[in-house]
Amino acid sequence: MSKQVDQALVYQEPKGKKWTGPQIVLTVIVLILSLSCLLPFINVAAVSLSSKSAILRGDVSFWPVELDFTAYKAIFADPSMPHSLFFTISITVAYTAFSMILTVLMAYPLTKKRLRGRNFFSFLALFTMYFSGGTIPIYLNIKELGLLDTPWSLILPGMLSTYNMIILKSFFSALPKELEEAAIIDGANDFQVLLRIYLPLSMASLATLTLFYAVGKWNSFQDALYYINNKAYQPLQLKLYNIIKGSQAVDIAAMEGGSSAVATSVSESIEPATIIFATLPILVVYPFVQRYFVKGVTIGAIKG
Amino acid sequence: MTTHLPSINRSHRGWFRRDWRLYAMLVLPVAFYLIFCYKPMIGVIIAFQNYNRFKGMWGSEWVEFENFRFIMGMSDFKFALRNTLWLNFLGLVAGFPVPIVLAIMLNEMKSVGLKKLSQTLLYLPHFLSWIIIGGMVLQIFSPKTGLINATLLKWGLIDKSIPFLTKGPQWQATYTVVGVWQGMGWGTILYLSAITGINPELFEAAKIDGANKMQQIWHVTLPGIRPTIVVLLILSVGQMMNISFDRPQILGNPQVLKYCDVLSTFVYRTGIQNHRFDRATAIGLFQSVVGLILITGANFVSKRLGEDGIW
């Protein structure tokens, strides 16, 4: 019903004028920019599936030339790759679970105006957005706590994002107060209000924040580079980084007058194959989760 | 039950009995902030010490501003500072208008299906780590086998490869373009939601007054999203001293060190790799303090201009 009313109210462009000249130009420009976001992947995927000689000739563009699965065989033959994948999934799940618990526990009390010291707690959180100890004091702190070279160094330090907490807080504040008041009259305490009213009503926001945290952790690399030496605890991004930097060093050595053919043959299709290997999990979930992200950004813009 | 009655709630002593559950909830997050955010803030004192790993930050010798004097004299620090500001400036000039234009274009697209498809593709780079994007960039821009150079060579448009990543100024251009490309789609979201918020009657009125599409964009759309533009611009100016670590680290290489080394990568090399914790902390503290001044100044300017501040 309301949809029909809306359509009646909205100004309708005269029919048959959809594809005017400027409209075509505009659409083409936007589509070209959009394709620029897709084609690099296709190129990298094509290179990862091509033979070394075709890559070295520069023949590969958007379709594999002389189809060759050697790189993928090499990745799966190396047990450290699946291990790293499993490790990355584990820390992402653990980190996301802890993060969500802390975010909810911080956001809920801050929505209660009656809470004494509310401004103090808000300030405690907000100040960290504008000032931090910096890379080295944070590193030394991790070291003092004995977390260096343990999986905890990848999970604990960034657990609570103040930005995400504010998003959740402003969502909580916007929930209708009547349900909560009714529950309190029925004798519910804050734990019960949070679990039975706030959380069920904010599933969409919670899903959005879960994704923010999960993708952030999946993509994070700096913490692993700083804190992890043990090969068993290398997440996928760090492994990929080491492979890329290794082959870059080879390339540079080759350019400075080495035997380029020998040097490059080691890595030329392993690197793109690893990139695809690390990207696929994201590409698989991306189409389904994209809209939650967009929602999260617009909620975040309305500051609490 | 009776403890929940309002009369007791307002009493002087009842507040903790009434709200202890809220404080219980706060224990974990507050502990997190204290241990992982505030404790390292105390650690900045080693910027004023000749830090000795075995004596720790309470036993090391105090040297006042010696570390700051030392880094100010380092030519590597000057390069890193100059590159940080310059690359951020390039990113702002080249990158700031792009999402605005793109958002307006997306908004004007009549085909809903194509618009949705474009948005899905344009948001994609935002979801990938800089390591993955960096790996792709190194691949595509590589001198001989990379897609761009190989294609241009094949078509005879160039005689020899363009050194996208191996010559300083070219490297900076590549870095900037890749940054603009990565952020352009995601950057449209806030502008698109601001455009949706413009009162449709304004467009109607403009149409009745005979305004064409360009005039409508210039006189209705742009003024409508002005507050968003100003706030985002001020935020970016406030961030001029901050630079991410991942992007320069993955794209940079020793050949262009003078052009690609920035404060974040310089701190990493000095501190984590070479164990000069005190000097690296001094650089970080310098960066934090200047950053705080910039963002406060930006906020002040924003309020003076009559726009919403960020606080």
Side-chain angles (χ1 to χ4, degrees):
Chain A
M1 268 302 282
S2 67
K3 206 168 186 182
Q4 283 172 351
V5 176
D6 282 350
Q7 272 174 357
L9 287 174
V10 169
Y11 175 82
Q12 298 272 305
E13 293 282 334
K15 284 224 168 106
K17 280 185 72 184
K18 193 173 171 185
W19 293 107
T20 56
Q23 183 64 223
I24 293 170
V25 173
L26 174 105
T27 309
V28 168
I29 295 175
V30 173
L31 284 180
I32 289 173
L33 288 176
S34 308
L35 278 180
S36 82
C37 296
L38 184 66
L39 293 180
F41 293 97
I42 299 181
N43 173 246
V44 173
V47 171
S48 76
L49 288 166
S50 298
S51 76
K52 269 150 206 157
S53 52
I55 302 169
L56 289 176
R57 286 199 307 271
D59 278 353
V60 187
S61 49
F62 301 113
W63 197 253
V65 180
E66 296 162 19
L67 197 63
D68 186 337
F69 292 100
T70 324
Y72 289 94
K73 279 181 196 144
I75 288 180
F76 286 105
D78 174 5
S80 76
M81 263 310 186
H83 173 85
S84 178
L85 179 68
F86 178 74
F87 178 71
T88 313
I89 293 172
S90 313
I91 55 163
T92 303
V93 170
Y95 168 85
T96 308
F98 289 152
S99 296
M100 286 310 291
I101 293 170
L102 286 192
T103 308
V104 169
L105 290 180
M106 187 77 189
Y108 177 79
L110 288 185
T111 58
K112 298 285 166 276
K113 290 212 170 65
R114 61 169 205 270
L115 178 79
R116 291 213 176 179
R118 182 167 165 260
N119 287 338
F120 167 76
F121 291 118
S122 288
F123 179 81
L124 192 78
L126 286 176
F127 185 69
T128 61
M129 289 178 93
Y130 299 102
F131 193 81
S132 90
T135 316
I136 301 301
I138 290 172
Y139 170 85
L140 291 175
N141 185 37
I142 303 291
K143 199 176 165 193
E144 264 175 50
L145 294 169
L147 300 177
L148 222 52
D149 229 0
T150 70
W152 295 109
S153 66
L154 305 177
I155 295 173
L156 298 178
M159 261 189 309
L160 179 49
S161 142
T162 304
Y163 177 80
N164 289 353
M165 193 275 291
I166 293 173
I167 292 180
L168 189 62
K169 195 191 116 197
S170 42
F171 189 83
F172 278 169
S173 307
L175 290 176
K177 291 283 161 285
E178 291 78 10
L179 279 171
E180 184 184 352
E181 282 161 10
I184 289 172
I185 289 168
D186 288 343
N189 63 41
D190 278 307
F191 291 138
Q192 291 162 333
V193 170
L194 174 61
L195 283 174
R196 307 233 174 102
I197 297 175
Y198 275 65
L199 295 187
L201 284 177
S202 16
M203 284 322 250
S205 303
L206 294 173
T208 304
L209 294 185
T210 306
L211 291 169
F212 273 6
Y213 278 122
V215 172
K217 181 44 52 181
W218 185 269
N219 285 339
S220 77
F221 135 86
Q222 191 178 2
D223 50 356
L225 180 70
Y226 284 19
Y227 308 143
I228 300 292
N229 275 318
N230 189 336
K231 283 211 158 61
Y233 299 145
Q234 281 190 352
L236 219 46
Q237 303 294 339
L238 181 58
K239 244 181 134 42
L240 182 57
Y241 170 82
N242 287 334
I243 291 172
I244 292 169
K245 282 291 164 184
S247 76
Q248 202 184 17
V250 172
D251 280 352
I252 287 168
M255 275 192 62
E256 282 165 356
S259 48
S260 74
V262 181
T264 24
S265 69
V266 187
S267 61
E268 208 52 69
S269 63
I270 292 271
E271 185 193 321
T274 319
I275 294 176
I276 295 299
F277 183 76
T279 315
L280 272 182
I282 296 262
L283 285 187
V284 170
V285 293
Y286 171 69
F288 306 103
V289 302
Q290 185 225 121
R291 65 195 180 93
Y292 288 105
F293 274 87
V294 175
K295 207 182 282 168
V297 173
T298 36
I299 302 174
I302 313 155
K303 17 165 219 169
Chain B
M1 268 304 285
T2 47
T3 51
H4 290 291
L5 288 176
S7 60
I8 296 176
N9 284 352
R10 283 201 199 92
S11 78
H12 186 63
R13 286 196 182 158
W15 62 272
F16 188 76
R17 232 177 118 178
R18 181 196 59 192
D19 287 339
W20 68 268
R21 292 178 185 87
L22 295 180
Y23 294 103
M25 289 178 194
L26 285 170
V27 168
L28 278 179
V30 167
F32 166 83
Y33 278 121
L34 293 179
I35 297 171
F36 289 105
C37 300
Y38 285 91
K39 191 162 163 264
M41 284 185 206
I42 302 170
V44 299
I45 60 170
I46 69 169
F48 305 97
Q49 295 175 341
N50 181 3
Y51 182 73
N52 181 317
R53 258 187 292 168
F54 303 104
K55 289 180 186 161
M57 70 179 191
W58 301 114
S60 294
E61 177 199 359
W62 292 88
V63 293
E64 293 178 353
F65 287 92
E66 187 50 43
N67 291 321
F68 291 91
R69 267 192 291 273
F70 183 84
I71 55 170
M72 294 300 166
M74 280 172 94
S75 62
D76 283 2
F77 172 75
K78 283 174 197 154
F79 285 128
L81 179 62
R82 189 197 64 188
N83 290 336
T84 302
L85 294 171
W86 177 237
L87 289 172
N88 278 338
F89 175 76
L90 285 179
L92 186 67
V93 171
F96 191 79
V98 176
I100 302 176
V101 175
L102 193 54
I104 291 173
M105 288 170 77
L106 281 168
N107 186 57
E108 296 295 333
M109 272 174 89
K110 295 233 174 68
S111 163
V112 179
L114 286 178
K115 181 178 162 186
K116 283 239 167 79
L117 176 71
S118 305
Q119 281 175 300
T120 303
L121 293 177
L122 286 165
Y123 298 158
L124 182 60
H126 179 82
F127 289 82
L128 301 168
S129 73
W130 269 108
I131 305 307
I132 287 177
I133 294 178
M136 290 196 316
V137 168
L138 298 180
Q139 164 86 48
I140 287 167
F141 288 91
S142 106
K144 285 204 185 84
T145 59
L147 177 67
I148 294 180
N149 272 322
T151 310
L152 292 177
L153 282 170
K154 202 161 275 176
W155 290 352
L157 292 174
I158 48 173
D159 304 330
K160 59 183 182 94
S161 316
I162 302 168
F164 288 112
L165 295 157
T166 44
K167 288 261 160 58
Q170 282 88 339
W171 184 89
Q172 292 188 331
T174 311
Y175 175 95
T176 306
V177 168
V178 172
V180 173
W181 168 82
Q182 192 259 359
M184 68 181 173
W186 196 248
T188 61
I189 294 177
L190 286 180
Y191 293 116
L192 280 171
S193 95
I195 292 173
T196 322
I198 299 173
N199 185 351
E201 284 174 19
L202 293 175
F203 289 103
E204 298 306 318
K207 271 179 210 161
I208 290 164
D209 289 346
N212 63 29
K213 260 275 132 43
M214 287 315 280
Q215 287 166 329
Q216 286 173 37
I217 289 170
W218 188 253
H219 294 288
V220 182
T221 314
L222 278 176
I225 60 175
R226 202 180 89 118
T228 311
I229 297 178
V230 172
V231 169
L232 291 181
L233 183 64
I234 285 167
L235 270 177
S236 335
V237 173
Q239 296 289 331
M240 284 305 267
M241 272 299 267
N242 295 344
I243 193 152
S244 80
F245 173 78
D246 296 11
R247 174 149 68 123
Q249 179 71 16
I250 188 71
L251 293 179
N253 63 65
Q255 282 182 303
V256 289
L257 195 61
K258 275 189 183 175
Y259 294 87
C260 74
D261 199 21
V262 293
L263 289 175
S264 54
T265 53
F266 183 60
V267 166
Y268 170 65
R269 275 212 323 282
T270 315
I272 313 268
Q273 288 189 326
N274 298 332
H275 295 285
R276 284 313 306 237
F277 293 129
D278 41 13
R279 284 176 199 157
T281 305
I283 302 162
L285 184 60
F286 167 79
Q287 201 182 356
S288 286
V289 170
V290 177
L292 198 61
I293 294 170
L294 280 177
I295 194 107
T296 314
N299 193 51
F300 177 76
V301 170
S302 161
K303 289 204 167 140
R304 282 298 289 271
L305 291 173
E307 303 288 346
D308 271 344
I310 47 170
W311 283 314

